Amino acid sequence: MAKYFDVHPENPQRRTISTVVESIRADALIAYPTDSCFALGCRPGSRDGMSRIRSIRNLDERHHFTLVCQNFAQLGQYVHVDNDVFRAIKAATPGRYTFILPATREVPRKLLHPKKKTVGVRIPDHVVAQALLAELGEPLLSSTLLLPDEDEPMTQGWEIKERLDHVVDAVVDSGDCGTEPTTVVDFSGDTVEIVRAGAGDLALFS
């Protein structure tokens, strides 16, 4: 059964955050809130966690996983960012965007897109997600909590606990965080490509 953590949306309880992070370090898979919607998350090096995310969401090997980072300094450890791209991403973070970029050697090979050698990265503007990342000290390997054959992500922590009780280890709930996933912007090619129009304003990249 998944553990359920009720976290204050503006002042996350430090002891609760520490308990959740201890479980992540022990290879747990969690459902947690972000500034766009709930996500599934685990350590970047967790083979079991990544396999379970694929299974829950029915994803193939071409799916871009996302490294959810605490800040720009951390993001820069995992992806190559040139000056023009740096300015564009800096203007949009933290926020409701995921950026696809060429990965550095810091990224485990199993996380890379098999052909492009790219990975998704983002910096959320969400108090609880930021608290988890600060305590963890590394990114969370994440994917939107959108189940197969469903049009929208789940928005209620209790519902996630009820439906995914035997496939995740913990549910972190700080209230409704919406149903619209991030806007995905691919900077890995010769031109900027909007892969998914989502919660982030497209005007920044038009």
Side-chain angles (χ1 to χ4, degrees), residues 9 32-36 94 123-131 174-177:
Y32 72 101
T34 76
D35 51 347
S36 57
I123 302 171
D125 187 13
H126 190 278
V127 172
V128 175
Q130 281 288 339
S174 63
D176 190 340
C177 54

Side-chain angles (χ1 to χ4, degrees), residues 161-178:
K161 167 82 165 78
E162 191 173 83
R163 295 186 60 184
L164 302 183
D165 203 26
H166 298 290
V167 291
V168 301
D169 301 301
V171 176
V172 180
D173 188 7
S174 63
D176 190 340
C177 54

Side-chain angles (χ1 to χ4, degrees), residues 43-120:
R43 289 189 311 110
S46 175
R47 288 181 178 274
D48 178 65
M50 187 171 72
S51 175
R52 290 162 70 188
I53 291 173
R54 287 191 189 279
S55 177
I56 291 168
R57 291 206 52 203
N58 192 26
L59 301 172
D60 63 27
E61 65 175 11
R62 293 168 296 179
H63 175 75
H64 266 109
F65 282 98
T66 299
L67 292 175
V68 177
C69 300
Q70 181 187 0
N71 51 39
F72 212 96
Q74 190 178 73
L75 180 148
Q77 298 175 34
Y78 296 93
V79 289
H80 295 289
V81 185
D82 66 27
N83 289 338
D84 289 340
V85 172
F86 175 91
R87 285 191 289 270
I89 294 178
K90 189 74 171 174
T93 56
R96 299 173 179 179
Y97 299 90
T98 298
F99 304 102
I100 297 172
L101 290 158
T104 68
R105 292 182 179 180
E106 296 294 319
V107 180
R109 290 184 64 185
K110 63 182 178 292
L111 302 189
L112 302 179
H113 187 281
K115 293 184 179 180
K116 297 181 178 181
K117 308 304 180 190
T118 50
V119 70

Side-chain angles (χ1 to χ4, degrees), residues 134-206:
E135 181 73 16
L136 184 61
E138 65 176 336
L140 275 166
L141 168 64
S142 293
S143 185
T144 302
L145 208 176
L146 179 62
L147 299 182
D149 303 320
E150 295 198 3
D151 295 329
E152 291 189 343
M154 287 181 284
T155 62
Q156 304 296 325
W158 63 265
E159 182 188 10
I160 295 169
K161 167 82 165 78
E162 191 173 83
R163 295 186 60 184
L164 302 183
D165 203 26
H166 298 290
V167 291
V168 301
D169 301 301
V171 176
V172 180
D173 188 7
S174 63
D176 190 340
C177 54
T179 61
E180 193 170 16
T182 57
T183 292
V184 180
V185 186
D186 189 345
F187 281 108
S188 65
D190 295 330
T191 58
V192 178
E193 179 185 357
I194 305 298
V195 177
R196 179 179 70 198
D201 185 359
L202 294 177
L204 286 177
F205 303 99
S206 60

